[in-house]
Short mmCIF file of all heavy atoms in Angstrom, two decimals:
data_model
loop_
_atom_site.label_atom_id
_atom_site.label_comp_id
_atom_site.label_asym_id
_atom_site.label_seq_id
_atom_site.Cartn_x
_atom_site.Cartn_y
_atom_site.Cartn_z
N ALA S 977 -9.50 1.79 -14.94
CA ALA S 977 -10.21 0.71 -14.25
C ALA S 977 -10.06 0.82 -12.74
O ALA S 977 -11.01 0.50 -11.99
CB ALA S 977 -9.68 -0.65 -14.74
N VAL S 978 -8.92 1.25 -12.28
CA VAL S 978 -8.69 1.42 -10.84
C VAL S 978 -9.51 2.60 -10.32
O VAL S 978 -10.18 2.52 -9.28
CB VAL S 978 -7.20 1.60 -10.54
CG1 VAL S 978 -6.96 1.93 -9.08
CG2 VAL S 978 -6.42 0.34 -10.93
N ILE S 979 -9.45 3.70 -11.06
CA ILE S 979 -10.22 4.88 -10.65
C ILE S 979 -11.71 4.58 -10.67
O ILE S 979 -12.47 5.04 -9.79
CB ILE S 979 -9.87 6.08 -11.55
CG1 ILE S 979 -8.43 6.54 -11.26
CG2 ILE S 979 -10.85 7.22 -11.33
CD1 ILE S 979 -7.96 7.69 -12.11
N ALA S 980 -12.16 3.77 -11.62
CA ALA S 980 -13.59 3.41 -11.67
C ALA S 980 -14.00 2.66 -10.40
O ALA S 980 -15.12 2.84 -9.90
CB ALA S 980 -13.85 2.56 -12.91
N HIS S 981 -13.11 1.83 -9.88
CA HIS S 981 -13.42 1.11 -8.64
C HIS S 981 -13.53 2.09 -7.48
O HIS S 981 -14.46 1.99 -6.65
CB HIS S 981 -12.36 0.06 -8.36
CG HIS S 981 -12.70 -0.81 -7.20
ND1 HIS S 981 -13.67 -1.78 -7.24
CD2 HIS S 981 -12.20 -0.86 -5.92
CE1 HIS S 981 -13.76 -2.40 -6.07
NE2 HIS S 981 -12.87 -1.85 -5.26
N PHE S 982 -12.62 3.04 -7.41
CA PHE S 982 -12.72 4.06 -6.35
C PHE S 982 -14.04 4.81 -6.47
O PHE S 982 -14.71 5.07 -5.45
CB PHE S 982 -11.56 5.06 -6.46
CG PHE S 982 -10.19 4.47 -6.26
CD1 PHE S 982 -9.08 5.03 -6.90
CD2 PHE S 982 -9.98 3.37 -5.45
CE1 PHE S 982 -7.82 4.51 -6.72
CE2 PHE S 982 -8.72 2.84 -5.26
CZ PHE S 982 -7.63 3.42 -5.90
N ASN S 983 -14.40 5.19 -7.66
CA ASN S 983 -15.64 5.96 -7.85
C ASN S 983 -16.88 5.13 -7.50
O ASN S 983 -17.87 5.66 -6.98
CB ASN S 983 -15.73 6.47 -9.28
CG ASN S 983 -14.81 7.65 -9.54
OD1 ASN S 983 -14.49 8.39 -8.61
ND2 ASN S 983 -14.38 7.83 -10.76
N LYS S 984 -16.84 3.84 -7.80
CA LYS S 984 -17.97 2.97 -7.46
C LYS S 984 -18.23 3.00 -5.96
O LYS S 984 -19.39 2.95 -5.51
CB LYS S 984 -17.69 1.54 -7.92
CG LYS S 984 -18.78 0.55 -7.58
CD LYS S 984 -18.45 -0.85 -8.09
CE LYS S 984 -19.57 -1.84 -7.76
NZ LYS S 984 -19.26 -3.21 -8.28
N LEU S 985 -17.16 3.12 -5.17
CA LEU S 985 -17.26 3.13 -3.71
C LEU S 985 -17.36 4.54 -3.14
O LEU S 985 -17.33 4.72 -1.92
CB LEU S 985 -16.06 2.42 -3.11
CG LEU S 985 -15.86 0.96 -3.52
CD1 LEU S 985 -14.56 0.42 -2.93
CD2 LEU S 985 -17.04 0.10 -3.09
N HIS S 986 -17.45 5.55 -4.01
CA HIS S 986 -17.52 6.96 -3.58
C HIS S 986 -16.36 7.31 -2.64
O HIS S 986 -16.55 7.98 -1.62
CB HIS S 986 -18.86 7.25 -2.92
CG HIS S 986 -20.03 7.17 -3.86
ND1 HIS S 986 -20.51 8.26 -4.55
CD2 HIS S 986 -20.79 6.12 -4.25
CE1 HIS S 986 -21.53 7.89 -5.31
NE2 HIS S 986 -21.71 6.58 -5.16
N VAL S 987 -15.19 6.84 -3.00
CA VAL S 987 -14.00 7.11 -2.20
C VAL S 987 -13.67 8.60 -2.27
O VAL S 987 -13.59 9.18 -3.36
CB VAL S 987 -12.81 6.25 -2.69
CG1 VAL S 987 -11.51 6.71 -2.07
CG2 VAL S 987 -13.08 4.78 -2.39
N THR S 988 -13.45 9.20 -1.11
CA THR S 988 -13.09 10.61 -1.05
C THR S 988 -11.59 10.81 -1.16
O THR S 988 -11.12 11.77 -1.75
CB THR S 988 -13.57 11.22 0.28
OG1 THR S 988 -14.91 10.80 0.53
CG2 THR S 988 -13.53 12.74 0.22
N ALA S 989 -10.83 9.87 -0.58
CA ALA S 989 -9.36 9.93 -0.66
C ALA S 989 -8.81 8.53 -0.50
O ALA S 989 -9.35 7.72 0.26
CB ALA S 989 -8.78 10.85 0.41
N ILE S 990 -7.74 8.25 -1.22
CA ILE S 990 -7.02 7.00 -0.98
C ILE S 990 -5.86 7.30 -0.03
O ILE S 990 -5.28 8.39 -0.06
CB ILE S 990 -6.51 6.35 -2.29
CG1 ILE S 990 -5.57 7.29 -3.04
CG2 ILE S 990 -7.69 5.94 -3.16
CD1 ILE S 990 -4.90 6.62 -4.25
N GLU S 991 -5.58 6.33 0.83
CA GLU S 991 -4.46 6.46 1.76
C GLU S 991 -3.45 5.39 1.41
O GLU S 991 -3.72 4.19 1.52
CB GLU S 991 -4.95 6.28 3.20
CG GLU S 991 -3.85 6.42 4.25
CD GLU S 991 -4.41 6.34 5.66
OE1 GLU S 991 -5.24 7.20 6.01
OE2 GLU S 991 -4.04 5.40 6.39
N LEU S 992 -2.27 5.83 0.95
CA LEU S 992 -1.25 4.91 0.48
C LEU S 992 -0.34 4.49 1.63
O LEU S 992 0.31 5.33 2.26
CB LEU S 992 -0.40 5.56 -0.62
CG LEU S 992 -1.17 6.15 -1.81
CD1 LEU S 992 -0.18 6.66 -2.86
CD2 LEU S 992 -2.11 5.13 -2.42
N MET S 993 -0.30 3.19 1.88
CA MET S 993 0.70 2.69 2.82
C MET S 993 2.09 3.09 2.33
O MET S 993 2.24 3.48 1.16
CB MET S 993 0.55 1.18 2.95
CG MET S 993 -0.72 0.77 3.72
SD MET S 993 -1.11 -1.00 3.61
CE MET S 993 0.33 -1.74 4.38
N PRO S 994 3.11 3.07 3.17
CA PRO S 994 4.39 3.72 2.85
C PRO S 994 4.91 3.45 1.44
O PRO S 994 4.96 2.32 0.98
CB PRO S 994 5.33 3.15 3.91
CG PRO S 994 4.44 2.93 5.09
CD PRO S 994 3.15 2.43 4.51
N ILE S 995 5.32 4.54 0.80
CA ILE S 995 5.85 4.46 -0.56
C ILE S 995 7.27 5.02 -0.64
O ILE S 995 7.82 5.10 -1.74
CB ILE S 995 4.94 5.18 -1.57
CG1 ILE S 995 4.78 6.66 -1.22
CG2 ILE S 995 3.58 4.50 -1.66
CD1 ILE S 995 4.04 7.47 -2.27
N VAL S 996 7.86 5.39 0.49
CA VAL S 996 9.25 5.87 0.45
C VAL S 996 10.18 4.68 0.68
O VAL S 996 9.78 3.62 1.13
CB VAL S 996 9.51 6.98 1.48
CG1 VAL S 996 8.60 8.17 1.23
CG2 VAL S 996 9.36 6.48 2.90
N ALA S 997 11.44 4.87 0.33
CA ALA S 997 12.42 3.78 0.30
C ALA S 997 12.65 3.19 1.68
O ALA S 997 12.97 3.91 2.63
CB ALA S 997 13.73 4.29 -0.29
N TRP S 998 12.52 1.87 1.77
CA TRP S 998 12.71 1.17 3.04
C TRP S 998 13.69 0.02 2.86
O TRP S 998 14.07 -0.35 1.76
CB TRP S 998 11.37 0.66 3.57
CG TRP S 998 10.76 -0.49 2.82
CD1 TRP S 998 11.01 -1.83 3.01
CD2 TRP S 998 9.80 -0.43 1.76
NE1 TRP S 998 10.26 -2.59 2.15
CE2 TRP S 998 9.50 -1.76 1.37
CE3 TRP S 998 9.14 0.62 1.11
CZ2 TRP S 998 8.60 -2.07 0.35
CZ3 TRP S 998 8.23 0.31 0.10
CH2 TRP S 998 7.97 -1.01 -0.27
N ILE S 999 14.07 -0.55 3.99
CA ILE S 999 15.00 -1.69 4.00
C ILE S 999 14.35 -2.82 4.80
O ILE S 999 13.61 -2.59 5.76
CB ILE S 999 16.36 -1.29 4.62
CG1 ILE S 999 17.41 -2.38 4.38
CG2 ILE S 999 16.23 -0.96 6.10
CD1 ILE S 999 18.84 -1.91 4.72
N ASP S 1000 14.59 -4.04 4.41
CA ASP S 1000 14.04 -5.19 5.13
C ASP S 1000 14.66 -5.32 6.51
O ASP S 1000 15.85 -5.04 6.70
CB ASP S 1000 14.31 -6.49 4.36
CG ASP S 1000 13.39 -6.69 3.18
OD1 ASP S 1000 12.44 -5.90 3.02
OD2 ASP S 1000 13.62 -7.64 2.41
N GLU S 1001 13.87 -5.78 7.47
CA GLU S 1001 14.40 -6.14 8.78
C GLU S 1001 15.38 -7.30 8.61
O GLU S 1001 15.21 -8.16 7.77
CB GLU S 1001 13.25 -6.55 9.70
CG GLU S 1001 12.33 -5.40 10.10
CD GLU S 1001 11.28 -5.05 9.06
OE1 GLU S 1001 11.30 -5.66 7.95
OE2 GLU S 1001 10.44 -4.19 9.32
N ARG S 1002 16.42 -7.34 9.44
CA ARG S 1002 17.54 -8.23 9.18
C ARG S 1002 17.20 -9.71 9.34
O ARG S 1002 17.90 -10.57 8.80
CB ARG S 1002 18.74 -7.88 10.07
CG ARG S 1002 18.52 -8.00 11.56
CD ARG S 1002 19.80 -7.65 12.32
NE ARG S 1002 19.62 -7.70 13.77
CZ ARG S 1002 19.25 -6.65 14.50
NH1 ARG S 1002 18.99 -5.49 13.92
NH2 ARG S 1002 19.12 -6.77 15.81
N HIS S 1003 16.11 -10.04 10.03
CA HIS S 1003 15.77 -11.45 10.22
C HIS S 1003 15.00 -12.03 9.03
O HIS S 1003 14.85 -13.26 8.94
CB HIS S 1003 14.95 -11.63 11.50
CG HIS S 1003 13.54 -11.14 11.39
ND1 HIS S 1003 13.20 -9.81 11.50
CD2 HIS S 1003 12.36 -11.81 11.16
CE1 HIS S 1003 11.89 -9.68 11.37
NE2 HIS S 1003 11.36 -10.87 11.16
N LEU S 1004 14.53 -11.19 8.12
CA LEU S 1004 13.63 -11.68 7.07
C LEU S 1004 14.35 -12.51 6.01
O LEU S 1004 13.78 -13.48 5.48
CB LEU S 1004 12.90 -10.51 6.41
CG LEU S 1004 11.87 -9.79 7.28
CD1 LEU S 1004 11.21 -8.66 6.50
CD2 LEU S 1004 10.81 -10.76 7.80
N GLY S 1005 15.58 -12.15 5.67
CA GLY S 1005 16.29 -12.85 4.61
C GLY S 1005 16.42 -14.34 4.87
O GLY S 1005 16.20 -15.16 3.97
N ALA S 1006 16.76 -14.69 6.10
CA ALA S 1006 16.94 -16.10 6.43
C ALA S 1006 15.63 -16.87 6.36
O ALA S 1006 15.63 -18.10 6.19
CB ALA S 1006 17.53 -16.23 7.84
N LEU S 1007 14.52 -16.16 6.43
CA LEU S 1007 13.21 -16.80 6.36
C LEU S 1007 12.68 -16.82 4.92
O LEU S 1007 11.59 -17.36 4.68
CB LEU S 1007 12.21 -16.05 7.25
CG LEU S 1007 12.52 -16.04 8.75
CD1 LEU S 1007 11.56 -15.11 9.48
CD2 LEU S 1007 12.43 -17.45 9.33
N GLY S 1008 13.42 -16.24 4.01
CA GLY S 1008 12.96 -16.16 2.63
C GLY S 1008 11.83 -15.18 2.44
O GLY S 1008 11.02 -15.31 1.50
#
């Protein structure tokens, strides 16, 4: 179903926002 959506839009390539292991910025925890 996801690939069908890409094909509907004639997508040539998908660009994935970062997928490697990251850590939260230290101010975020207190903000929930």
Side-chain angles (χ1 to χ4, degrees):
V978 174
I979 290 178
H981 187 73
F982 297 151
N983 284 333
K984 179 179 181 179
L985 301 175
H986 293 268
V987 168
T988 315
I990 59 173
E991 181 176 299
L992 307 184
M993 289 168 62
I995 59 173
V996 301
W998 72 86
I999 191 168
D1000 283 353
E1001 291 82 355
R1002 62 179 178 269
H1003 73 280
L1004 291 180
L1007 297 172

